Amino acid sequence: MSLAIITGASSGIGAEFARQLKAEGVTSFWFVARRADKMRSLGEELGVEYKIIEADLSTSEGIEAVKRALEEERPSVDYLLNCAGFGSFGAADEIGVLTIEKMIDLNVKASVLLTHICVPYMPRGSKIVMMGSGSCFTPLPYFNAYSSGKVFILHYTKSLNYELKKYGIRATCFCPGWVETEFLPKAAGENNTTRPRPSAIKPLLKCEKVVAGCIKAMKRGRAMYVTGWYTKLQHLLFKILPDFILTRLWLGMLDEPKEER
Ligand SMILES: NC(=O)c1ccc[n+]([C@@H]2O[C@H](COP(=O)([O-])OP(=O)(O)OC[C@H]3O[C@@H](n4cnc5c(N)ncnc54)[C@H](OP(=O)(O)O)[C@@H]3O)[C@@H](O)[C@H]2O)c1
């Protein structure tokens, strides 16, 4: 029997990891997110043994709920997939301090804390996926807290691998370009005016394809997995071009703010 804990399992990349890990022979899942009904449907669709932890991971109570479940059941955790996350396009004064705080608490703090909480339950050979992004490779004004958080995750994952070597555990930072999930419509919001033009959000990658690639990279023990031709190019250019050129390219993809401030 093998167990995968997946945060953000109610949608998109997290749910797709569940589907593909089942095909890889994982028999038991813990799904963690806020929408229990979606996670229940996923468990029933897969016909696997599953546990639902309904938790807002941007809060201490949410993290505590996972910690408590681990202390009670003391399971052997073969995979930890830190997929819960969200983004919000817009200037800091447009998206607001509370949204920025929640984004950092979920995308960064929760991923780090859950990793540390889970590692003592992970046997040798087990795997961790941390969600980075193509936005790790360019300073992105108007997507700042999100993209800067992903840079943190990339560096964190690379460093973590050194510390986990003695336990035989390996972490992969997954850096896809734009993927077709609920993420982008939510990140664009209804009121945020400074966001990429729809024509700039291309190519849109298929969730199935990027997750399949990440599973291969994870099995090979890669510290980072970059996918999507545009993101691979971005990663390459990041190494050879000054930041300001890449940032200008990004700014050229944004809608003009509709109102002067
Ligand atoms: N889609 C892309 O273009 C893209 C590209 C690069 C990286 N990523 C990263 O990939 C990860 C997964 O995103 P996705 O594309 O699969 O988006 P998604 O379809 O919107 O899924 C996000 C998941 O995070 C969960 N979540 C959001 N807020 C939460 C909270 N406060 N507490 C617990 N769970 C929460 C959501 O569940 P509930 O709403 O039920 O809580 C959902 O399951 C994110 O870290 C994102 O940054 C996405």
Side-chain angles (χ1 to χ4, degrees), residues 34 83-90 95 99-100 102-104 106-107 133 135 142-150 178 181-190 192 194-196:
R34 293 166 302 178
C83 299
F86 79 100
S88 189
F89 297 118
I95 63 180
T99 303
I100 292 171
K102 204 172 167 70
M103 209 173 346
I104 294 170
L106 180 66
N107 298 359
S133 157
S135 65
Y142 308 104
F143 206 25
N144 188 0
Y146 176 81
S147 57
S148 303
K150 295 301 185 184
W178 305 121
T181 65
E182 293 176 9
F183 176 87
L184 283 167
K186 286 184 181 167
E190 284 176 13
N192 304 354
T194 317
R195 58 191 178 200

Side-chain angles (χ1 to χ4, degrees), residues 3 15 27 43 45 50 60-62 72 85 89 91 112 118 128 130 140 142 160 162 178 196 200 203 225 228 254 256:
L3 169 69
T27 49
E45 171 200 323
Y50 67 94
S60 309
E61 295 75 25
E72 279 165 20
F89 297 118
V112 169
C118 285
I128 298 169
M130 305 292 287
L140 299 179
Y142 308 104
L160 182 71
Y162 287 91
W178 305 121
Y225 175 60
L254 299 180
E256 291 297 316

Side-chain angles (χ1 to χ4, degrees), residues 98-159:
L98 289 179
T99 303
I100 292 171
E101 184 184 21
K102 204 172 167 70
M103 209 173 346
I104 294 170
D105 283 349
L106 180 66
N107 298 359
V108 180
K109 190 170 155 190
S111 300
V112 169
L113 296 184
L114 287 176
T115 299
H116 284 280
I117 288 168
C118 285
V119 160
Y121 298 90
M122 301 185 81
R124 293 190 83 76
S126 53
K127 308 284 186 202
I128 298 169
V129 169
M130 305 292 287
M131 280 310 312
S133 157
S135 65
C136 288
F137 309 123
T138 313
L140 299 179
Y142 308 104
F143 206 25
N144 188 0
Y146 176 81
S147 57
S148 303
K150 295 301 185 184
V151 176
F152 178 108
I153 292 294
L154 176 59
H155 281 253
Y156 173 82
T157 309
K158 287 181 175 177
S159 302

Side-chain angles (χ1 to χ4, degrees), residues 46-57:
L46 298 182
V48 289
E49 195 179 289
Y50 67 94
K51 177 186 181 78
I52 290 172
I53 302 179
E54 192 179 344
D56 180 344
L57 292 173

